[in-house]
Amino acid sequence: MIKLFVGLGNPGPDYEATRHNAGFWWIDALARELKVQLVPERSYWGLAGRTTIAGQSVWLLEPQTFMNLSGKSVAALAKFFKIQPSEILVVHDELDLPPGQVKLKRGGSHAGHNGLRDIHAQLGSPDYWRLRIGIGHPGEKSEVPHWVLKKPAPDQRTLIEESIAHSLKAHTAMLAGDMDKATLLVHTTKPPRPKPPRPPELAATPKP
């Protein structure tokens, strides 16, 4: 089961609405769902909250170290409570997915994401779960730092929030340790409902 849910982002009001903070948005939504309050925890350099699910402690964490040092916070909590990498879910913004898409996977490279890069280094393992929230790509690699630190357009923000609400439905399966079911839930989206056919009498009505 997932025992530590981590959302990545940067601390402070200047960053809270930027694309790079999509991981924080997901953890905030999970905290509301589980009725967990996140409070400053100096020992873990982050905002953290704990609840008990089926007799097992479950942690929520938002590192306040700035993105590049996220691993310092994650490793401090994980090592103290002996939480294995395979029991950690890291939620982060993903350039390679468009807004509205979200993917779940275990392990893999950090693909240049500075938060994941530091978590790799501090945990000494890439073998943790990631929930990748699509934020889209600016098209030019040189524009990426500016892109992730800007607010998404309103229509993109809506799509990102919808993907967060959709993927949040998998948290029960994650807590139960059924990651196959969680993956299926995250990756399955309902196709848009087709428009009903127009009644023949209306279709044949001549236009003035």
Side-chain angles (χ1 to χ4, degrees), residues 110-184:
H110 54 68
H113 192 292
N114 288 329
L116 298 182
R117 188 198 309 273
D118 196 52
I119 292 173
H120 273 46
Q122 297 296 328
L123 288 181
S125 170
D127 192 32
Y128 53 89
W129 288 89
R130 302 98 184 268
L131 186 67
R132 305 158 61 213
I133 300 176
I135 60 167
H137 196 286
E140 296 287 339
K141 187 176 180 180
S142 61
E143 290 295 318
V144 167
H146 185 59
W147 175 262
V148 299
L149 294 178
K150 284 191 69 176
K151 298 178 182 178
D155 59 330
Q156 294 182 355
R157 176 66 189 247
T158 297
L159 289 170
I160 293 170
E161 289 179 349
E162 289 175 353
S163 72
I164 289 173
H166 168 73
S167 55
L168 198 64
K169 296 174 183 174
H171 82 275
T172 303
M174 294 173 184
L175 289 168
D178 191 345
M179 298 307 287
D180 287 341
K181 182 178 180 180
T183 302
L184 187 64

Side-chain angles (χ1 to χ4, degrees), residues 100-118:
Q101 285 195 17
V102 58
K103 299 290 184 183
L104 179 66
K105 74 171 188 176
R106 179 178 174 179
S109 73
H110 54 68
H113 192 292
N114 288 329
L116 298 182
R117 188 198 309 273
D118 196 52

